[in-house]
Amino acid sequence: MADKEYVMPEAGFIRAANLSTVLGVSRPTLYRWMSEGVLPKTVQLGPKARGWNVDTIRTWIAERSSGGAQ
């Protein structure tokens, strides 16, 4: 059975499990990219929850798609 695709919401936040699906990379890769300054840092959503702002991630993806920052 194939994995389900995840579509980012129009606004709000995206958690690591869903972002890794969208980008096609593992969760450890997301955190490595964050520590290397490649991926924007997460924001605190609650006492035990962190995520990325969807607008920030869309901008980050667009920059890479258009040959922007690397």
Side-chain angles (χ1 to χ4, degrees):
M1 184 172 179
D3 291 336
K4 281 186 150 185
E5 283 191 33
Y6 176 81
V7 177
M8 283 196 299
E10 289 296 318
F13 296 89
I14 185 170
R15 303 283 302 275
N18 292 330
L19 184 57
S20 68
T21 300
V22 169
L23 298 178
V25 299
S26 68
R27 288 174 64 178
T29 296
L30 294 179
Y31 293 112
R32 180 172 44 83
W33 285 354
M34 245 186 8
S35 71
E36 294 171 351
V38 175
L39 184 68
K41 297 211 178 279
T42 57
V43 294
Q44 191 76 39
L45 303 174
K48 295 183 178 182
R50 298 189 70 81
W52 289 266
N53 181 290
V54 170
D55 292 334
T56 301
I57 293 300
R58 287 186 192 282
T59 300
W60 182 83
I61 291 170
E63 287 172 353
R64 273 136 194 84
S65 297
S66 64
Q70 300 206 16

